[in-house]
Amino acid sequence: TPSFPILPSPSLPLPPSLLFHHAMGDDAMIIVTTDRPLAEAKVYDGRAFPLTYRPKDPKNCGAFLLADHIRKNKETIVKQVMEHGAVLFRGFDLRNPEEQATAILSLGLKSMPYVGGAAVRRKIVGEIIMTTNESPPSEPVPFHHEMAQTPNPPSHLAFMCQLPAKKGGATPILKSTAVYTYLKTKHPKFCDKLEKLGVRYVRVMPGEDDEKSAIGRSWRNTFNATTKEEAEAAMRKLGSTWEWLEGDCVKTITATVPAIRTDDRTGEKVFFNSVVAAFLGWVDARNDPTKAVVLGDGSAVDAAALRDVAGFMDKEKVSFAWEAGDVLVVDNWQAMHSRQPFEGPRTVLASVFRGKVAEEDEKKKPATATLSTGDAIPLVGLGMWKVPKDVCPKVVVQAIRAGYRCFDNACDYGNEEEVGRGLREALDAKLVKREDLWITSKLWNTYHAKEHVRPACLKTLKDLGLKYLDLYMIHFPIAQKFVPFEKRYPPEWSYDPEQKLEFTKSIVQVPVPLRETWEAMEALVEEGLVKNIGICNFNTALIRELMKTAKIKPCVLQVELHPYLAQEKLMRFCRKEGIHMTGFSNLGAPSYVELGMATKSEFVLEKKVVKDIASKKGKTPAQVVLRWHLQRGNSIIPKTSKEHRLKENIGLFDFTLTSDEMAQISSLDMHKRFNDPGVFADIPIYD
């Protein structure tokens, strides 16, 4: 019998007023409402199918707030997905697949690879989000449970709409218990056969993906194989039999799998299979749908009964038009899904999950944002710029004890060896595992030539005592003359400080194409020295130019961000492109006063509006500004070497700023940039 994840048993349905539990004092953090159900929803046993969540405040409903809410209520929401069959999140400001991934991963469900499915898919966000069935728009996809033809299908699915079709293109859903009841009532003998014998699925797979077919996924992609031997090993593991055919095709017959199953969580019997989909929809140049499914003993299925059940499905379905930003979470045990034909462009993406992430792993995981690679960057990290060498190791250990998992470094900061000692101390003391940390560093300007990129990365890895970086970034879009490690490290801005030239004249630039540097960065990913690559201090024109030739798009842009420099247009651009933004100098002026680049009169923390909000929330002005960053959807790396500040700067998840408070802080924007090479080095990059 196939193994299925056992999730919590249902309790009585909770009234909306009791669904969520994390209101803090007078500042209610509940940002969703179920008061506006979907008009097309059906009701089973007093529960809406699907249950619909909408934002209480349409002006304050971004990915961070939704993910934060889901994370704090994941057990309740996962239970609701089971009890209702599906939950729709509608009206939230989710503008790219990465933001939608951040929201759904907050449920604590365990993402699984799409192995064994019939449809052609393309990866969109790492292994987490993929395209839905890419069969021709004119072809409907019949009702089915996802990957029901495999021994271990997903427990949950998530569908995410980026662009709804001009006409049609809905993803209808259907309660499987209702289908079972109909089948048992109308066709009891066939129902008993299905339950007793199970079914086997027969399909001929091409050697390469056939995007013209709803079942055109190649055997190479289906089994994640490059050779026939690897495919055979995968099929053997699944219990399938096979026959290699001409034209690099293979005919597969699955092991017998149940068609009627009992959901152990509810005790209900469900019509859990892809029988109707196979019998009516597995058709292309290689496949005859009438031969696509047989009973477990090899005998034919009841064609008339299946056609009758298909008619019932069409009448009983819940079909609603997609809206951009929609996220539909489906319990794959309780609900089937299909796809209607459509006209015009349509982008609906999908994720599959099986079971839950281990509770121990969930507890130690900080709040994160999902990158285009599928990796998760912590939302709050510790910036190591200007942290003195003598206290660096101690600060790193204190930060890890306080809950930090992200450390933002750079060759130019001159303290990577000391950071490395702190990391080693924490790892040796088993305070944390390497895989639980997110370590960022940056390529300095003097190492932009392709022959210098890898040695610079290796030098950083050696100093940090690591085998790989989670994120490596180009520090500035400025290429300077190479300075050998043995001559001076870090090389800083001046090519030869001993000449004692005027600072701006001591900087020697060289014509290294950005494309050359980026290709060398991509090679670091291919070699496994770094997992993700990004950029710092780039404007939109440079990012567009970079992405024209990039094989790996930058997944993170790090720039100066604070209430005096809100960078709204840059944020909109990055969200459109699926590039996550990290802000540095999150509090503005304080880091620059001692450098003579700011004055105390420019402290945003002294502004009355910030102080008033802080007083109202019972928080410090710094916490209010840092929370403002998070609710805008950006990660932050505030710097400090004081233990009490470490705790203060990460204590940002027990209060919420209203849309009015967010707007008041954003209104402080004066386009004031403190860190500008055009000013201190006479090298303009933002103009």
Side-chain angles (χ1 to χ4, degrees):
T1 301
S3 170
F4 293 93
I6 303 300
L7 300 178
S9 298
S11 61
L12 292 175
L14 299 172
S17 61
L18 298 179
L19 292 180
F20 307 111
H21 57 76
H22 61 273
M24 301 295 176
D26 294 330
D27 183 15
M29 293 176 63
I30 300 173
I31 56 97
V32 304
T33 178
T34 57
D35 292 342
R36 287 174 285 159
L38 194 69
E40 297 87 349
K42 291 183 180 291
V43 177
Y44 295 93
D45 297 325
R47 299 186 179 104
F49 174 66
L51 178 66
T52 303
Y53 294 145
R54 302 177 193 266
K56 292 182 71 174
D57 181 355
K59 296 180 181 179
N60 205 26
C61 59
F64 167 77
L65 277 179
L66 179 58
D68 188 46
H69 179 85
I70 292 174
R71 184 171 55 254
K72 291 170 178 174
N73 295 279
K74 58 180 177 285
E75 292 182 4
T76 295
I77 295 173
V78 170
K79 186 180 292 185
Q80 288 177 324
V81 175
M82 175 182 63
E83 293 174 341
H84 291 259
V87 169
L88 173 67
F89 295 92
R90 169 161 286 185
F92 294 90
D93 186 18
L94 306 173
R95 301 190 189 182
N96 56 54
E98 292 80 6
E99 292 180 350
Q100 291 176 322
T102 297
I104 59 173
L105 289 174
S106 298
L107 283 168
L109 299 173
K110 189 174 183 179
S111 180
M112 64 175 284
Y114 184 71
V115 176
V120 176
R121 310 275 182 160
R122 289 179 293 110
K123 297 175 183 177
I124 302 298
V125 178
E127 299 284 342
I128 300 169
I129 292 185
M130 69 200 88
T131 55
T132 49
N133 192 313
E134 295 190 359
S135 59
S138 60
E139 298 298 320
V141 176
F143 275 106
H144 62 286
H145 284 277
E146 192 63 37
M147 296 169 64
Q149 71 274 22
T150 66
N152 296 302
S155 61
H156 295 80
L157 319 172
F159 295 99
M160 297 142 283
C161 178
Q162 288 289 302
L163 177 68
K166 292 182 179 180
K167 182 179 180 181
T171 302
I173 53 177
L174 176 69
K175 284 284 283 185
S176 299
T177 50
V179 181
Y180 170 77
T181 300
Y182 181 84
L183 178 67
K184 184 67 174 176
T185 302
K186 296 291 185 178
H187 306 280
K189 291 183 179 180
F190 181 50
C191 183
D192 290 343
K193 279 189 175 183
L194 285 174
E195 188 167 4
K196 179 181 179 181
L197 300 175
V199 292
R200 305 181 76 186
Y201 297 91
V202 182
R203 181 161 64 99
V204 177
M205 304 179 190
E208 301 295 333
D209 286 346
D210 178 4
E211 296 190 2
K212 295 180 180 180
S213 168
I215 55 169
R217 197 176 189 211
S218 68
W219 57 261
R220 289 181 173 86
N221 279 336
T222 298
F223 302 116
N224 195 24
T226 56
T227 66
K228 290 184 177 180
E229 290 74 19
E230 291 176 352
E232 288 176 359
M235 289 186 283
R236 192 176 296 113
K237 185 176 180 180
L238 292 171
S240 299
T241 59
W242 63 88
E243 176 187 354
W244 292 103
L245 306 176
E246 293 182 356
D248 199 28
C249 295
V250 62
K251 178 181 178 181
T252 65
I253 304 175
T254 70
T256 300
V257 293
I260 306 296
R261 316 192 192 208
T262 299
D263 187 337
D264 291 336
R265 303 165 301 173
T266 65
E268 298 171 301
K269 288 189 176 181
V270 293
F271 185 74
F272 189 105
N273 55 65
S274 294
V275 172
V276 172
F279 184 75
L280 296 179
W282 284 17
V283 55
D284 60 15
R286 295 167 296 275
N287 291 275
D288 178 353
T290 63
K291 299 177 181 179
V293 60
V294 295
L295 293 173
D297 62 358
S299 61
V301 294
D302 187 332
L306 288 181
R307 291 192 179 94
D308 182 49
V309 169
F312 170 79
M313 289 175 164
D314 186 60
K315 294 177 183 177
E316 190 69 11
K317 69 179 183 291
V318 172
S319 181
F320 56 90
W322 282 113
E323 293 182 6
D326 278 354
V327 174
L328 178 68
V329 182
V330 178
D331 188 305
N332 197 39
W333 274 83
Q334 289 287 320
M336 310 178 83
H337 65 280
S338 64
R339 191 206 72 183
Q340 293 181 339
F342 61 92
E343 297 177 7
R346 173 186 184 266
T347 304
V348 177
L349 307 174
S351 291
V352 291
F353 304 90
R354 188 168 189 275
K356 300 171 68 176
V357 175
E359 188 174 345
E360 180 181 348
D361 294 335
E362 274 291 288
K363 285 182 178 180
K364 61 187 179 184
K365 180 182 176 183
T368 60
T370 306
L371 304 182
S372 56
T373 59
D375 286 343
I377 185 171
L379 290 174
V380 183
L382 180 61
M384 302 309 296
W385 180 48
K386 293 176 59 185
V387 176
K389 290 184 179 183
D390 60 336
V391 300
C392 240
K394 179 181 178 181
V395 169
V396 169
V397 174
Q398 288 176 337
I400 289 174
R401 290 187 184 279
Y404 287 81
R405 294 295 179 265
C406 174
F407 293 87
D408 183 80
N409 308 281
C411 151
D412 189 54
Y413 299 167
N415 57 8
E416 289 193 323
E417 284 191 64
E418 290 73 22
V419 171
R421 286 203 291 270
L423 293 174
R424 177 49 51 198
E425 182 180 339
L427 291 168
D428 289 346
K430 301 188 184 307
L431 298 179
V432 69
K433 297 179 181 178
R434 170 62 184 97
E435 58 266 30
D436 297 326
L437 293 171
W438 182 279
I439 309 299
T440 296
S441 191
K442 307 177 188 74
L443 178 78
W444 185 241
N445 307 342
T446 53
Y447 308 129
H448 278 213
K450 60 184 178 182
E451 65 268 22
H452 300 316
V453 172
R454 185 176 184 272
C457 179
L458 290 174
K459 170 64 172 166
T460 278
L461 287 171
K462 179 182 177 182
D463 289 349
L464 291 170
L466 302 175
K467 294 181 179 180
Y468 68 90
L469 293 171
D470 297 278
L471 175 62
Y472 198 43
M473 315 181 80
I474 297 176
H475 205 148
F476 282 97
I478 300 169
Q480 295 177 228
K481 189 174 181 179
F482 175 66
V483 177
F485 299 152
E486 59 272 17
K487 180 178 180 179
R488 190 173 66 256
Y489 190 89
E492 301 180 325
W493 289 88
S494 297
Y495 175 67
D496 188 356
E498 294 181 3
Q499 291 186 356
K500 298 182 180 180
L501 298 173
E502 180 185 339
F503 178 65
T504 57
K505 295 181 180 180
S506 70
I507 301 171
V508 181
Q509 298 186 70
V510 291
V512 179
L514 179 58
R515 178 175 180 173
E516 175 182 321
T517 307
W518 193 253
E519 287 177 349
M521 297 282 282
E522 292 174 328
L524 298 177
V525 177
E526 294 170 3
E527 189 177 349
L529 295 176
V530 304
K531 291 189 173 183
N532 300 276
I533 49 179
I535 48 182
C536 304
N537 304 299
F538 276 50
N539 61 27
T540 58
L542 282 172
I543 299 172
R544 288 190 182 96
E545 188 64 26
L546 174 63
M547 291 179 65
K548 287 178 183 177
T549 57
K551 295 178 182 177
I552 303 174
K553 81 173 185 180
C555 58
V556 178
L557 169 66
Q558 188 179 122
V559 292
E560 182 179 344
L561 275 181
H562 45 75
Y564 287 165
L565 185 65
Q567 305 230 55
E568 293 283 355
K569 293 179 181 178
L570 183 59
M571 278 185 55
R572 287 200 299 271
F573 171 81
C574 285
R575 292 187 71 189
K576 181 179 178 181
E577 298 296 334
I579 300 172
H580 176 73
M581 280 182 66
T582 297
F584 68 78
S585 298
N586 309 120
L587 302 178
S591 294
Y592 299 95
V593 172
E594 63 184 80
L595 301 176
M597 299 164 69
T599 65
K600 291 185 177 180
S601 64
E602 295 174 300
F603 277 27
V604 71
L605 302 185
E606 297 298 322
K607 298 297 291 187
K608 183 178 185 301
V609 62
V610 174
K611 286 185 171 182
D612 287 349
I613 295 172
S615 177
K616 179 181 176 182
K617 303 293 182 184
K619 297 294 177 180
T620 67
Q623 287 176 313
V624 166
V625 171
L626 295 176
R627 176 75 187 195
W628 171 81
H629 282 284
L630 296 181
Q631 287 189 209
R632 297 177 83 217
N634 303 317
S635 57
I636 54 176
I637 46 171
K639 176 198 74 69
T640 186
S641 57
K642 299 177 181 178
E643 187 171 10
H644 73 282
R645 294 290 188 200
L646 287 171
K647 296 177 181 178
E648 177 184 325
N649 290 349
I650 206 170
L652 308 174
F653 298 92
D654 59 354
F655 71 104
T656 299
L657 300 176
T658 66
S659 56
D660 287 341
E661 290 164 343
M662 290 289 293
Q664 289 174 47
I665 298 172
S666 296
S667 70
L668 298 174
D669 185 21
M670 59 178 73
H671 310 293
K672 174 63 178 178
R673 195 184 301 275
F674 295 105
N675 192 336
D676 187 351
V679 174
F680 67 78
D682 198 24
I683 305 176
I685 58 175
Y686 304 116
D687 301 286

